[in-house]
Amino acid sequence: MASSPRRSAANLSIPHLREALHSLESKMATLLNERDRLEARLEQAVRLQSPVQRLPNDLLSSIFTIAVLDGDEEDSLTLSNLMLVCQYWREVAVHTPMLWTRIAMGTHRSVDRALLKLDRSRTAPLYLCLDFSPRMEHGTVSTESIVTAMDLIRPAIWRWKTFHLTVPSRPQAHIALTRCKEQAPLLEVLSIRVAHSMQEDHYSTPPLPLFEGFTPRLRSTSFTSFNFGWDAALLNNLRVLKLGGYWNGFSPSVDVILRTLRACPQLEELVLRNMSDVDPDSCASLVSDASEQDDYALARVSDTRTIQLPRLRKASFYYSGNLRTRTVFSLLSFPALEQIELCYLDNVSPILECLRKQSLTVLPLRHLRIESCFLNELRFARLLPRLPALNSLELVDVEDVTPNLMRNFAAPPVSQTWVCPKLATLSLEGCTSIDWETLRSIVESRLPPHSRAFPRQPVPAQPAPSRPAMSVSSASASASASSGRPVVSSSSSSASAFAATAHILSRQPTAPAVSSSSLAVGRPVRLESIDLTRCHQITKEMVQWLRMYVAEVKCETVKSVWGEPSLS
């Protein structure tokens, strides 16, 4: 006899059904977990097939180092992004000591961050920068914070490679450097800057000798207002020497500078800035002309032998004392000099004469900057033909720059060759004696044959006579007069006035007559940049013409009647 449906349902109790459902759910959960594990292992296996994941740790560390330390400063943002990619990359970055060698400390720098980098850098050479320069937003810099920072890095002095220190006053610099008593066998760059250079602290004595006088690898030294007694141990066998901010009794004598240069025969860069000049009473004149006696007088020195600097490539003299500079320069031999800056030195004619004498043998000068100085036009004109490699010439606020001098850069006479044929950058900032015709002739003569204007700056079309009247500047009038066109007065009609002004823009450059000797040497390069800032004699139309044939023309911004800039 068959069982009834009710009896069959009674045999399947409710707890039994619930238990069966729970068992199925447990099995499903186990299978899902197993599926997730398999998917994770599959994803990891696929990632491991990528080339970047198969890189050795050493190679990956080198890539990180190049990405983070490519420039002079550390790229902390790139380092943070690398550590956020994955746990593996983070471990590699943490165990790469070179990534943690750039340590910066200052008023608003984290001390904990510096301690972390000191720990992770292990035994790698350190690049230290302690910047406690006084700023309004930082308030007063306490000596205690400077001493605390020095005490943190003092145990690792044996692995310092570069050390930059900036403090407000000279006593704070001396207190901080009293911690530098151990030897520094790896130190290559030493920079100490005192912000308040005019402050006199005769009661403060320098902590000598620094690093026990043992810095065998020191190659670059930069001191600004730091009184170190001109210790010879810090000025020996240098490649870069920068001195500045020495006034009154702290300024170095000529003998000190010469003795330092004799101890650095491999010097490549020399910078002297902001120094009081030596006593003019201790001078010896080298010329008999009374009118030039003061300009060519030299300071008396104990050793007058010529100093050979065969590797000197860059020299900068910025308000370093006219008498000191020309005395030092007269005793130097610099056959490899490529860049020189002469700023705020009164009369630089003796220095230009030294450059000319050096050029009689070899002088590969590429950059020359003269700012706020006087010079003899004839002596400068004699020097220019001796500089065939000159690529950049900057004459800033030089009143002696006349049109006669600048015409040397235009097409030469038939019997002569080009002056500075490689000149590509010309700066005449603040030189108000240059007229338009001279400037135009320089640009035209250096254009290549069959040259055209740049397509991005087309020549504007001739205006209609119905436009309002415009005033004609004297430069525009002179340009019209030199080309045989009648000069239009300010009271002329609007059409005639604008036609005279537009004549500048409509002028097409003409190829000058060049001698066969000049062609044998080659044509000069085209001017790429002209700086006419604060040259108020150059009008807007003249600048527009220049921009058609020169890639970069710098000038002051002129605002229109509505206030927006119309010329830059």
Side-chain angles (χ1 to χ4, degrees), residues 432-447:
T432 57
S433 300
I434 304 299
D435 59 1
W436 164 244
E437 285 301 321
T438 302
L439 188 60
R440 179 189 56 77
S441 62
I442 295 175
V443 174
E444 284 188 350
S445 61
R446 292 176 175 265
L447 290 176

Side-chain angles (χ1 to χ4, degrees), residues 2 53 95 112 136 181 185 207 236 240 297 349 445 461 464 489 564:
Q53 294 293 335
H95 293 88
D112 296 336
M136 294 297 296
K181 293 299 184 180
N236 191 23
V240 178
S349 298
S445 61
S489 62
E564 68 273 8

